[in-house]
Amino acid sequence: MKLAKYLKPYRLFAIISPLLMIGEVMGDLSLPFLMRYIVDYGIAENGLFELVKAGGFPYEVMNFLYGAGNYSQLSIIITFGVMMLLIVLVGGFFGTLCAYTAAKAAQGFGHDLRCDAYKRVMSLSIEQTDKFTTGSLVTRMTNDISMLVEFVEMVLRMCVRSPMFLIGGTIMLISLNVKFGVVLLCSLPLLLVTLILVLSKSVPLYSVVQKRLDKVNSVVQENVSGARVVKAYVREDYEIERFMSANGGLKDINLKVLRLMAIITPVLTIIQNFAIIAIILIGGIDISSGIGGMTVGNVMAGITYVTQVIMSIMMVTMMFQSISRAIASGKRVIEVMETEPTIKGADKSGEEGDIAVTFENVSFRYPGTCGRPVLHDINLEIRRGETLAIIGSTGCGKTSLVSLIPRFYDATEGAVTVDGVNVKDYDLTALRSKISFVMQKSELFSDTVANNIRWGKTDASDEEIKEAARVAQASDFIEHLPDGYDSYIAEKGASLSGGQKQRLSIARGVVRHPEILIFDDATSALDLATEAKLRRSLNEKMKDTTVIMIAQRIASVKEADRIAVIEDGTIKHCAPHDVLMRECETYRDIYASQMKKGGDIGE
Ligand code: DCP
Ligand code: MG
C-alpha cells in the first residue's frame, strides 16, 4: 500500500517482531506433545514400559537426565512438567517482546503518518478544506489513522502467528494420527464458507461506518464552537436532536456490522466442539480396539491441536476484518494525502515599487459555483502608502475582492499583482509575509494577550508588542486587564468584548509592519472616536504601509485617499470623498442614509 513507506523508519522493529512471534508459536506448538508424554508415560499404567517401547525423544531425554532405567513415572511427570513451564516462560518472554516491538513500529508509523497528513491539511486551500469538511478531516486525522495503526500492529503480530499455527498445528495433528487430519479436513470447508459469507457482507460496511463517524464529528464540532449561538437561540434541543440522529446512524451501522460478526463465534464454537467430539470418538474407538497405538495422550494432544488450528482461523478472520477496516480508512487518509493544494506557490517575489497592488480585468467566482460571478471587470491600481477604502452593501463582494490579494482564492480571470508580480508567481510565504490581513471575524487563540499579538511576528520584542497595541488603541484596555499583557485569553477570545477582540487582531496585523495592511471591516465594533484615533496613529506610525480598508460607515472611510464603491460585483467609482459626493450617486445614497440614521457622521 501507498502508506507502507511510513513503516520504513521502523523496519527493524517491523522485522524483529514477527521473528519473535515464531519463538512464541514454536513454544505453544510443542506444549501438547510434552503433555502427551506426561499422560502416556507418566500417568498411564505401564507408562515406563510404553516409554521404552516407543523410544525416541522422551526416552532419550529421560536416559540422558537420569541414566537408563533409573527413573520412576513421577520423575517423568516432573521432568516434562518443568520443561513445559520453561517453554511457557520463554514463549511468554518472546510474546511480550513481540508485542512491544510491534507496538513500537505501529505507533511510530502512526505518528509519522499523522504528522504528514496534518502538514498536508495545513497546505490545502480554503476551498479544499471546505470540501472535505472539518469534521471529516478530524476523523481522518484521528480515527482513521488509529485504525491503520491497529492494523499494522495486528499484522506484525498475526501474520506469522496464524499461518504458523494453522500449518504447524495441522502437521502435528497428522503426525499424531492421520485420522485426526481427516476431521480437520471435514470441518475446514464449513468454517471457510461461513467466514467468507460474513466478511463479504461486512467489509463494504466499514466505509459507511467512517462516514457516519464524520457526521457525528461535524455536528459536535459545529455545536461546540458555536455554543453561544446555540444557547442564544435556545436551540439546544434541536441540536441535541440533530446529534442524536447522527449518533443513531452511527449506532445502527455499527450494530449491523457487529450482528454479522456475531454469527462467527457461535458457528466457530459449534464446529470446534464437533471436531473435538470426532477426535474423542475416533481416538476412543481406536484405543478400545487397540489399533495403531492410539493412546489417551494422543487424543488429548489432538484436541489441543484442533483447537489451536480453529482458533488460528479465527485470528485470520480478525485479520481480514482489520484489513477491511484498514483499507476503508487507508483510502480516506490517502485521499487527503493525495489532494494537491490547488493554491501552490511558485518562487518569485516582487520588489517594492510605486504601485503596491493592481487588479487587471479581474473576475472571480467561488470555486465550484456557477451563475453570475461574484466580481467582474475589476480594474484597480493601489499606490504604495495609499489608504484605499472599500465600501458597498453587504454581500457585494468586498471580502472576496481582498481575499484575492493574499491568494486565499485565485482570480477566475485576469491578474492580481503585488509589487508588479502576479500573485500566482509568488512564493506563498513571501507573498503572505508582505500582507497583514485583519479578518472580518476576529480569530484569537487561547493564549496570553502578548502571544496573541506576537502571532503576527514570532520574534517581536515586548516593546514592539506594546507599540503595536498602542497603534491599535488596545494598550489602554490591556493595561487594565488583571495581568496586563500576560492575561490569558479564553478560546476564540471569549473573555473579551467584540471591540477588544478587533483591536487585538489589529495589533496582531500591525506588529509585523507589513507592506500591505488589509482591514476587512475590522473596525466595525469600535466607536467613532476610537476609530479616528486608530486611523491617526496608523497614518503616523505606518506611513509607507499600503492600507486597504473595508468599512460600512462613511465616517470610517471619509479620510481615505481614495474610496472604491462596489456595486453589482464591480467597482463603480474610485475617488476621494469629495469627488464621490459630487459624482457618485450610490455613495451619496449611502451617505444620506447614514446621516439620517445616525445623524452624527464622524468627528
Ligand atoms: N460567497 C460564496 N462563497 C464564499 C463566500 C461568499 O459564494 N465562500 C458569496 C456570497 C456573496 C458573495 O460571495 O453573495 C460576496 O461575498 P463577500 O463575503 O465578498 O461579501 P462582502 O464581504 O461584501 O459582505 P459583508 O459586507 O457582509 O462582509
Ligand atoms: Mg465581508
Side-chain angles (χ1 to χ4, degrees), residues 103 131 247 312 367 402 405 502 540 553:
K131 212 156 91 193
N247 197 17
S312 71
V402 289
I405 304 174
Q502 280 195 336
E540 267 168 41
R553 299 181 296 204

Side-chain angles (χ1 to χ4, degrees), residues 161-171 184 188 309 312-313 316:
R161 192 186 169 94
S162 315
M164 252 185 102
F165 261 126
L166 198 65
I167 297 166
T170 312
I171 292 173
L184 195 61
L188 280 188
V309 169
S312 71
I313 291 176
V316 173

